[in-house]
Amino acid sequence: MRKKLIFNGQSIVLTWLISYIVILLLPVVIGLLLYVESNRTLKEEIQQANDSLLKQVREVMDNQFKAMEQLNFEITWNVNVQELLYSNKYEIYPKDKPYDMYQIAKSLSIYKTSYPLIDNFYIYFNKDQSVILPTTVRSSIFAYQTLHMSDNFPFTSWQSIMTRNNFKGFIPMYRIGDDNILRKTVAYVSTYPMEHDQPTATNVIMVDQTRILGAIQNMEIFNNGHVLILNEQNQVLAANSSSTMPVDFPYGDLDNGKNFYFKSNDGEEYEVFTIQSPRSKLKYISIVPSQTYWQKASHVRNLTYLSMLISLLGGGILTFFFLRRNYNPVRRLVHAFSKKQIPDSGKKYNEFLFIQEALDSTLIEMADFKSKVEQHRHIVRSHFVEKLLRGKLDGKIPIAEALTTFDMKLDRKEFAVMLFVIDKSEAFFERITHTPDEEKWKLLQFIVSNVVEELVAQRHRGYATEIDDTLACLVNLTVDDSESSKEELIRIADEAQSFLASTYDIHLTIAISSIYPHIASVPQAFLEALDAMTYKLVMGGHEILAYNDLHEHKYWYNTNGYYYPMQIEQQLLNALKFGELTEAKQLLSEIMQKNFEGAGISVSLTKCLMMGLVTTIMKSINETGGIQESFFIRNPKQLDRLLNSKNVEDMELQLGDMFTQICAFTAAKRVHANSLAKQKALQQLVEQVNMYIEHNYTDVNLNVTMIGNHFDRKATYLSKIFKDYAGEGLLDRINKVRIEKSKQLLKGNEQSVGDAAYGVGFNDINAFIRVFKKVEGITPGKYKEMLDE
């Protein structure tokens, strides 16, 4: 037996022997390679582990930092903050500013509730040297003393941060907590645009390092290294160790974004791993002592030597045993596949290759043949079902013969068509990764088609095919009663919906045709299913649409036009222009009721109606003036949501939302315009009164009553509005003009005090002297003496 095993001329013996020898030598070669490459391999392993953990830390911390940036965005664009910084309101009403700042402080307390992971935040106002915190307003010095005061963070440093120009980023700070303990904190500082070369304000949002350290603490457990988070200026924002960075650490190498080796001046060697946040520009750094992985290399080297020894001893024994044992079964298989063709004894021949080729050839041919037949039959059958539904079958070939060819049995008495349209499939697509969208869509259609055919096949016969992005299923029913047939179709539709939604997150709308007694009526059933599916696009609200139910309730569409007369459009246009929201919504409700009550309009007319309403909205915005650009910039997706409405209810909801925003904007604009007009009219009246006084100051009868009569207004009312606008009473204005004119007369040497008094409208010199002294602080005689000197 041993002689036959070795010298029978079959090359498999030699091949096995060589293979076993190679296997014995392979551990030795591998051990040598492992010994040489162990250092590099372990270094890559540690680097990958550090990169992985750093990425985890970055993901956690970027979410935290994103929350800080989001809070900064909401504070920055807060309407009250914008008004406080950039409105001219306080030049007219300066007393409103403290109240508005208090209101902003109250609104900040709402943000504090919405962002529980943010420890503290405030707004620093450079002009007022004040700080707005949640629920309170403080001066800058008092705010510094209660929030940051420490030897490590003096007031001047804090002040320089608050007054930076165009700065936005993360920096390290110190914060005094509610327990009066000083803590290190990471602050997101964002300055507002400058005004008159001075920063207007600065947002400061703080998160204590204790929150951050919890996310990076595990790094030290893994490799006894240090993990740090640095900002763009290479300032340490957070670290899992209190040890300081080496003085000679090469911060410039961090900007390259690559890992590197570093040896400090004190002889310590480190492996530095760094990644950068793609959104916040922060650097996440891990510093690992080099000796960490050298210790592991020694351990791996010892394991390598031991594995080499075991492999050599065990492999030699197993080689002899399996070489004898395995050959006989192989030899019998070779004789079984080639009974009449026994290889010559001197020919090199591989038995395994012979067996493999024989089996592979047979199996591949069978599988290929079966796949081609099945694929061809499925494609042709789907094409046949599509033609049958559309009524485009070749009349030369009998239907019965075609059904037999495609292994289809339609021998029951009733026929119907079901249409399946996919409404929502995003969740299904999200589950499938690394697959093109086209392949995802094919998989989805395959799943829906198989589920539908299996549900129908439980009691009936059904064949599905794809037609224009919809799935159509021809159903051959077994029940006799027409009402039972309809209920059976609804049951199948309901089960398909429920199963696909719960199992695959695929949501369908299903349309069901009427039931016909002959296969020749299938094209008509298909058209009915299409009509029923079209109903959802106009009326909405249904996921299973039965043609008979829609037809019985007279839901078919009116194709004669839609209701939107010119007078209704003009009324709607005026309501939107003047901000009359109630009237605008009443008109919208009337338009919808007229068009969709009873016999609704078609899909095409519905789209035309929607475009007409959008045109009216655009007209109202244009005629209001100056708000079209700002309205659509602040609401960029409003028009897209309207144009993408899936049904009438959604369209009416989107239009109502647009009406609300437009009316609010136009009403506010109209109030502002009225206020400006009133202010301008008041200014013109005051200017006219001043001009009248300038022209009539010499008249002794000039007084408040005379001016009121001239302007056809009550004297008390005219005096009040003049004082409210000009800041002085009407009588005081008359006296000031007269005194100014008298001073010009007194400059001439020929004019006496009495002449000056009578020349400016005073008929009593004593009254003139009294008024002159009240206005100028000295008597007219003293004034004239000063002029003479």
Side-chain angles (χ1 to χ4, degrees):
M1 184 68 179
R2 182 181 303 172
K3 185 177 180 181
K4 186 176 181 181
L5 173 66
I6 298 176
F7 299 102
N8 61 1
Q10 300 295 324
S11 61
I12 189 64
V13 177
L14 182 61
T15 302
W16 276 353
L17 182 60
I18 295 174
S19 299
Y20 290 151
I21 294 174
V22 171
I23 292 173
L24 289 175
L25 295 177
L26 185 60
V28 178
V29 177
I30 292 176
L32 294 175
L33 292 176
L34 287 175
Y35 177 73
V36 174
E37 298 293 331
S38 60
N39 293 335
R40 183 184 62 83
T41 303
L42 285 175
K43 184 175 180 180
E44 292 178 355
E45 176 187 326
I46 293 175
Q47 180 177 349
Q48 292 176 359
N50 275 276
D51 285 344
S52 177
L53 291 176
L54 279 177
K55 289 178 181 178
Q56 294 178 17
V57 173
R58 181 182 65 183
E59 181 178 355
V60 174
M61 295 316 306
D62 276 2
N63 291 334
Q64 178 68 53
F65 294 141
K66 180 179 180 181
M68 298 171 72
E69 293 176 349
Q70 180 66 29
L71 176 58
N72 173 71
F73 178 82
E74 294 189 18
I75 294 175
T76 301
W77 294 105
N78 185 285
V79 176
N80 295 332
V81 174
Q82 290 288 317
E83 182 180 21
L84 180 64
L85 291 175
Y86 305 113
S87 174
N88 296 327
K89 168 183 176 183
Y90 305 108
E91 296 179 3
I92 303 174
Y93 305 104
K95 295 181 180 181
D96 289 354
K97 189 170 185 179
Y99 174 76
D100 290 346
M101 294 180 72
Y102 175 70
Q103 290 297 323
I104 293 175
K106 290 177 61 179
S107 67
L108 291 184
S109 63
I110 299 176
Y111 292 142
K112 191 172 184 66
T113 304
S114 302
Y115 292 87
L117 297 180
I118 304 299
D119 291 297
N120 204 347
F121 57 91
Y122 56 83
I123 308 174
Y124 172 84
F125 289 90
N126 185 45
K127 183 177 181 181
D128 299 336
Q129 291 291 298
S130 59
V131 175
I132 300 181
L133 294 102
T135 70
T136 184
V137 180
R138 296 176 179 174
S139 66
S140 60
I141 296 177
F142 185 53
Y144 166 76
Q145 292 173 348
T146 57
L147 293 174
H148 301 292
M149 187 172 67
S150 69
D151 296 336
N152 296 327
F153 192 48
F155 178 77
T156 55
S157 299
W158 178 74
Q159 190 76 11
S160 64
I161 293 173
M162 295 299 103
T163 56
R164 286 188 182 180
N165 297 334
N166 300 322
F167 178 77
K168 182 180 291 186
F170 297 91
I171 62 173
M173 275 190 179
Y174 289 89
R175 184 183 76 88
I176 300 175
D178 296 336
D179 52 1
N180 204 27
I181 296 177
L182 186 66
R183 296 185 175 91
K184 291 183 179 181
T185 187
V186 177
Y188 182 74
V189 179
S190 174
T191 60
Y192 289 77
M194 298 179 61
E195 187 174 282
H196 305 300
D197 296 330
Q198 292 292 330
T200 55
T202 302
N203 291 340
V204 179
I205 302 168
M206 296 176 288
V207 174
D208 290 345
Q209 284 195 18
T210 54
R211 294 184 184 274
I212 300 174
L213 293 178
I216 64 178
Q217 199 64 36
N218 290 333
M219 294 293 293
E220 188 171 5
I221 297 174
F222 176 77
N223 54 23
N224 296 320
H226 307 294
V227 179
L228 307 96
I229 302 176
L230 275 62
N231 61 11
E232 292 184 79
Q233 294 76 33
N234 292 323
Q235 294 176 310
V236 178
L237 299 178
N240 70 333
S241 175
S242 58
S243 302
T244 59
M245 295 284 285
V247 178
D248 56 338
F249 187 81
Y251 288 100
D253 294 343
L254 297 176
D255 298 331
N256 298 328
K258 297 181 179 179
N259 305 324
F260 60 90
Y261 168 81
F262 165 65
K263 183 176 182 180
S264 63
N265 291 333
D266 57 3
E268 291 292 334
E269 298 177 354
Y270 302 96
E271 297 291 332
V272 181
F273 306 92
T274 177
I275 60 174
Q276 189 168 1
S277 174
R279 61 181 307 277
S280 60
K281 298 183 179 180
L282 299 180
K283 303 181 187 71
Y284 296 84
I285 304 169
S286 173
I287 302 177
V288 185
S290 297
Q291 62 181 0
T292 298
Y293 63 86
W294 283 112
Q295 294 173 355
K296 294 183 178 180
S298 177
H299 179 65
V300 170
R301 180 183 58 200
N302 295 332
L303 290 178
T304 302
Y305 289 156
L306 181 61
S307 64
M308 292 168 57
L309 179 59
I310 295 175
S311 298
L312 290 173
L313 293 177
I317 298 172
L318 293 176
T319 298
F320 179 77
F321 176 75
F322 285 110
L323 190 61
R324 289 173 57 90
R325 180 177 179 181
N326 293 339
Y327 179 71
N328 283 332
V330 173
R331 183 171 56 82
R332 288 195 294 267
L333 285 175
V334 170
H335 286 297
F337 279 102
S338 56
K339 294 180 180 179
K340 296 182 180 181
Q341 297 179 356
I342 300 176
D344 296 335
S345 60
K347 183 180 179 181
K348 297 293 184 182
Y349 193 87
N350 190 306
E351 293 88 348
F352 277 165
L353 181 60
F354 174 80
I355 296 171
Q356 179 182 354
E357 289 177 352
L359 288 174
D360 287 348
S361 177
T362 304
L363 294 176
I364 289 173
E365 289 179 2
M366 293 177 60
D368 185 57
F369 177 76
K370 183 178 181 182
S371 175
K372 288 181 179 180
V373 170
E374 184 64 26
Q375 184 179 8
H376 183 73
R377 186 179 68 86
H378 179 75
I379 294 174
V380 175
R381 189 180 73 177
S382 297
H383 185 64
F384 170 76
V385 174
E386 179 182 355
K387 283 193 171 184
L388 178 62
L389 293 173
R390 293 182 182 272
K392 297 181 180 180
L393 287 178
D394 188 356
K396 298 179 181 179
I397 302 176
I399 294 179
E401 183 178 342
L403 294 176
T404 303
T405 302
F406 300 120
D407 194 21
M408 296 174 59
K409 295 182 180 179
L410 299 177
D411 53 354
R412 312 298 169 85
K413 296 181 178 180
E414 296 181 344
F415 295 87
V417 175
M418 302 176 70
L419 281 184
F420 301 83
V421 173
I422 299 169
D423 288 337
K424 292 187 299 182
S425 58
E426 293 81 2
F428 172 78
F429 287 152
E430 289 176 357
R431 294 182 180 180
I432 306 173
T433 57
H434 308 295
T435 303
D437 292 340
E438 182 179 355
E439 296 298 326
K440 292 180 181 180
W441 184 252
K442 289 181 179 179
L443 177 60
L444 184 146
Q445 291 178 329
F446 174 78
I447 292 173
V448 175
S449 175
N450 277 271
V451 169
V452 171
E453 287 186 349
E454 287 184 9
L455 287 174
V456 174
Q458 291 176 357
R459 297 180 56 189
H460 318 283
R461 303 190 190 282
Y463 303 95
T465 185
E466 180 187 357
I467 302 178
D468 299 333
D469 294 331
T470 54
L471 187 69
C473 183
L474 173 62
V475 182
N476 189 202
L477 298 161
T478 58
V479 291
D480 296 330
D481 184 35
S482 60
E483 188 64 22
S484 299
S485 300
K486 174 185 173 183
E487 293 176 355
E488 183 66 12
L489 291 174
I490 293 176
R491 180 193 65 80
I492 295 172
D494 185 63
E495 288 186 6
Q497 274 188 338
S498 302
F499 178 78
L500 290 171
S502 61
T503 307
Y504 299 102
D505 283 328
I506 300 174
H507 300 270
L508 304 175
T509 294
I510 304 175
I512 302 173
S513 70
S514 301
I515 299 171
Y516 288 91
H518 195 272
I519 194 173
S521 302
V522 167
Q524 179 62 30
F526 176 67
L527 293 177
E528 291 180 357
L530 286 176
D531 287 341
M533 186 63 71
T534 305
Y535 166 81
K536 178 178 176 60
L537 300 177
V538 178
M539 302 304 294
H542 292 271
E543 293 183 348
I544 298 178
L545 308 169
Y547 177 85
N548 289 337
D549 293 341
L550 302 178
H551 183 69
E552 290 173 1
H553 292 84
K554 299 180 180 179
Y555 281 131
W556 296 135
Y557 311 128
N558 176 15
T559 59
N560 296 326
Y562 60 84
Y563 174 80
Y564 191 39
M566 185 177 298
Q567 61 271 21
I568 295 297
E569 181 183 11
Q570 188 61 43
Q571 293 176 17
L572 180 59
L573 184 64
N574 292 333
L576 293 175
K577 283 167 47 180
F578 292 98
E580 300 293 340
L581 179 60
T582 302
E583 182 178 353
K585 287 193 173 182
Q586 288 177 351
L587 291 171
L588 177 62
S589 178
E590 178 183 348
I591 293 170
M592 292 299 176
Q593 185 177 8
K594 292 283 188 180
N595 283 287
F596 300 104
E597 185 181 41
I601 61 177
S602 65
V603 175
S604 300
L605 291 178
T606 300
K607 294 180 179 178
C608 293
L609 173 61
M610 182 172 64
M611 296 307 299
L613 291 170
V614 171
T615 302
T616 304
I617 293 173
M618 299 293 291
K619 287 181 180 178
S620 68
I621 294 176
N622 289 332
E623 294 183 12
T624 303
I627 71 169
Q628 178 179 359
E629 182 179 355
S630 62
F631 175 79
F632 286 108
I633 286 178
R634 292 180 302 168
N635 305 273
K637 296 185 179 180
Q638 187 75 55
L639 192 58
D640 292 339
R641 288 195 294 267
L642 174 62
L643 296 177
N644 294 328
S645 300
K646 293 186 177 181
N647 49 56
V648 173
E649 289 79 3
D650 191 16
M651 183 178 75
E652 185 173 1
L653 179 64
Q654 298 297 333
L655 286 170
D657 188 28
M658 293 182 69
F659 284 5
T660 301
Q661 298 182 49
I662 293 172
C663 288
F665 202 104
T666 54
K669 188 174 180 67
R670 191 175 75 255
V671 170
H672 180 66
N674 292 339
S675 175
L676 292 178
K678 182 178 179 181
Q679 190 76 5
K680 185 176 180 181
L682 183 59
Q683 180 183 0
Q684 292 177 351
L685 177 61
V686 171
E687 291 175 353
Q688 292 173 359
V689 170
N690 285 329
M691 188 177 296
Y692 182 78
I693 294 173
E694 290 284 344
H695 291 160
N696 297 278
Y697 69 90
T698 59
D699 190 345
V700 296
N701 295 319
L702 180 64
N703 55 26
V704 176
T705 303
M706 178 180 173
I707 296 174
N709 293 334
H710 176 77
F711 288 98
D712 195 21
R713 296 176 185 270
K714 289 184 179 182
T716 55
Y717 173 71
L718 183 61
S719 179
K720 181 179 182 304
I721 63 176
F722 186 89
K723 185 174 183 180
D724 291 341
Y725 185 84
E728 61 180 354
L730 196 54
L731 183 59
D732 293 337
R733 181 60 179 169
I734 296 171
N735 289 333
K736 282 186 178 181
V737 172
R738 283 176 168 174
I739 297 305
E740 288 296 324
K741 299 296 182 180
S742 69
K743 287 165 65 177
Q744 297 176 8
L745 295 175
L746 289 173
K747 291 180 180 180
N749 294 329
E750 69 279 0
Q751 295 287 342
S752 64
V753 174
D755 293 337
Y758 299 134
V760 295
F762 284 95
N763 56 7
D764 184 0
I765 191 171
N766 292 325
F768 171 69
I769 294 172
R770 185 174 62 254
V771 173
F772 193 97
K773 185 175 183 180
K774 179 180 179 182
V775 175
E776 296 295 329
I778 58 175
T779 63
K782 185 67 174 175
Y783 179 77
K784 186 171 179 60
E785 291 177 4
M786 292 172 61
L787 293 175
D788 294 339
E789 293 177 358

